[in-house]
Amino acid sequence: MVKLTEGRGKELFRKYGVAVPRGVVVGSAEAAERATKDGSVPLPCVIKAQVLAGGRGKGGAVRFASTAEEARSAAAAILGSSFQGETVREVILEEKVAIGRELYVSFALDRTARLPILIASARGGVEIESVDDAAIDRQTIDPFPGLLAYERRQAAHALGLTGPLAGELDRLLSSLYRLFDREDAELVEINPLAVVGEKLLALDAKVIIEDDAAFRHPEYSAIRDDRTPLEEIAREKEIAFVQLDGNIGVIANGAGLTMATLDVLKEFGGAPGVFLDLGGTDDPKKVSEAFLLMALAKPRAVFLNIFGGVTRCDTVAKGLVAALESVPASERFPLVARIRGNAETEGIAILRAAGVTSVPDLKASAQAVVAAAKGGA
Ligand code: GDP
Ligand code: MN
């Protein structure tokens, strides 16, 4: 998933003809002050953290300034701070506009209908998830003819726009749909879309590019803002590896078993910190590589939950033991294993020889690893 920051999203908006306020993205408080002094950003202005998380308005990451000095101190306050775990390295500075109304529009993929969908709501400026269903207008779009005039008119009607503003919306939706289509986006969202006099301005931009189309867009290959450094290494090695907030490492095989393992740990009060899905791999080299990557995330305890179908438990165990030996003693962590299925007996024997016990019962093994992560044996 290639998630663009607001600044990058707005560059695309400009390119496709979606109106955005005048503004710049800067990385320092000095640059913020300069931008307001040299006229690149008119005062009063808005200063917003360039992070991928939403809800910045509520979270104090959107500020207003009416002098260059205020712009500087607002930028200084936001830069370097952490917003939902993300360090703020850049802020966007924009002219502050006098908002008449805040609307919501987006194009997304409706996975059930298997079609693009146009979502419009007159209740913009708040998270769309919190808006009453009755106040949201949804239209699936046939991608072959593309977005049609009557669909744009229906959206205008849903947003309560008439006259010149309906014309503005018509052009905006055409541009936005073109962006969605040509850039292979899975989401383009404007929230809020501000009514400013007889104009519509996109005050925010959320653009996510479909990962499966990445090969068609080498220009996005440098943007990996949503991956942690370890996730980036994992991607290059083609290992399914995801970092979470907790402290228990999970190694499982297959998406279903992996998700179920995370649920079971949660159920018993544990907090999964990183998980990797071996998929159909039992190549000991791959297992070792994946395990060592997990060790770099410094889990407090690791839960190995393997079901051997095609995968052989003994080869997984071999790879794991090989990797265990190369983890320095000071960085070792308790390991709880549960391996069942194909070549289970051989696998258990290999683990036992390396001092790892396999606990066959799911509940008991999950409880053991939760206890270990909390500082137990
Ligand atoms: P988010 O909270 O992360 O989605 O950040 P947004 O960019 O959507 O900004 C949050 C809110 O700040 C908006 O819904 C507006 O109410 C307000 N805001 C942003 N830009 C302006 C502006 O130029 N003028 C005014 N008056 N309010 C703004
Ligand atoms: Mn927003």
Side-chain angles (χ1 to χ4, degrees):
M1 191 164 88
V2 184
K3 219 170 172 182
L4 306 189
T5 56
E6 177 187 356
R8 285 199 176 107
K10 282 180 171 170
E11 276 172 31
L12 281 179
F13 281 11
R14 282 195 196 92
K15 180 174 156 192
Y16 282 87
V18 174
V20 297
R22 279 175 68 187
V24 293
V25 175
V26 296
S28 73
E30 293 70 39
E33 183 179 3
R34 227 178 301 126
T36 54
K37 280 187 170 161
D38 69 16
S40 33
V41 179
L43 288 166
C45 70
V46 188
I47 299 104
K48 297 192 276 184
Q50 288 305 274
V51 287
L52 296 172
R56 294 166 304 170
K58 276 183 290 175
V62 175
R63 306 203 179 194
F64 300 96
S66 41
T67 65
E69 186 39 52
E70 277 174 28
R72 180 201 176 89
S73 59
I78 302 176
L79 284 163
S81 70
S82 157
F83 188 79
Q84 294 189 15
E86 224 178 304
T87 306
V88 183
R89 301 190 190 289
E90 289 178 326
V91 291
I92 191 168
L93 256 80
E94 284 180 341
E95 61 179 312
K96 181 181 178 188
V97 300
I99 303 178
R101 290 170 56 206
E102 295 190 64
L103 311 173
Y104 174 100
V105 296
S106 69
F107 287 100
L109 284 177
D110 182 326
R111 293 187 193 277
T112 313
R114 301 181 187 178
L115 290 170
I117 183 169
L118 165 57
I119 303 172
S121 174
R123 305 239 189 100
V126 296
E127 274 163 41
I128 193 70
E129 290 80 3
S130 69
V131 176
D132 227 10
D133 225 40
I136 301 175
D137 183 64
R138 294 185 173 82
Q139 301 181 73
T140 51
I141 308 300
D142 183 337
F144 293 104
L147 183 70
L148 298 173
Y150 75 88
E151 293 161 336
R152 303 194 292 272
R153 281 196 297 273
Q154 180 178 318
H157 180 73
L159 295 175
L161 300 177
T162 52
L165 279 170
E168 278 269 303
L169 183 80
D170 190 84
R171 283 184 292 278
L172 178 137
L173 290 178
S174 297
S175 300
L176 197 64
Y177 183 76
R178 202 171 311 122
L179 187 165
F180 177 80
D181 183 47
R182 298 218 183 134
E183 302 293 325
D184 289 308
E186 60 178 62
L187 176 72
V188 291
E189 183 189 75
I190 307 180
N191 188 22
L193 173 65
V195 177
V196 183
E198 295 212 320
K199 298 269 171 226
L200 292 175
L201 271 182
L203 295 197
D204 195 2
K206 187 165 171 187
V207 177
I208 300 176
I209 307 297
E210 176 69 51
D211 225 8
D212 293 329
F215 72 97
R216 283 206 287 249
H217 300 280
E219 69 274 23
Y220 297 125
S221 64
I223 306 172
R224 292 297 172 204
D225 299 0
D226 58 329
R227 290 197 189 101
T228 66
L230 286 179
E231 286 174 345
E232 188 54 37
I233 298 172
R235 194 186 67 95
E236 279 157 20
K237 298 189 170 187
E238 296 182 10
I239 298 170
F241 179 100
V242 176
Q243 272 185 293
L244 305 166
D245 303 330
N247 56 14
I248 300 176
V250 172
I251 308 175
N253 60 336
L257 183 61
T258 308
M259 292 302 122
T261 307
L262 300 181
D263 285 349
V264 170
L265 288 175
K266 279 255 177 205
E267 176 75 21
F268 292 116
V274 47
F275 69 82
L276 67 89
D277 172 6
L278 294 178
T281 309
D282 59 2
D283 173 1
K285 270 215 194 82
K286 270 249 157 217
V287 174
S288 284
E289 219 172 39
F291 185 79
L292 289 173
L293 200 58
M294 167 161 283
L296 291 176
K298 305 209 178 304
R300 290 287 302 273
V302 167
F303 187 20
L304 174 77
N305 192 11
I306 299 295
F307 177 74
V310 176
T311 304
R312 293 181 57 99
C313 292
D314 56 344
T315 51
V316 170
K318 251 182 232 153
L320 192 82
V321 168
L324 266 180
E325 283 162 2
S326 59
V327 177
S330 60
E331 289 172 21
R332 294 266 166 90
F333 35 74
L335 178 72
V336 176
R338 173 177 177 268
I339 53 176
R340 308 293 309 257
N342 188 3
E344 163 181 331
T345 323
E346 295 89 330
I348 290 172
I350 293 168
L351 287 181
R352 188 179 299 123
V356 179
T357 316
S358 174
V359 182
D361 179 59
L362 180 59
K363 188 173 161 186
S365 55
Q367 282 169 325
V369 74
V370 170
K374 288 192 174 145

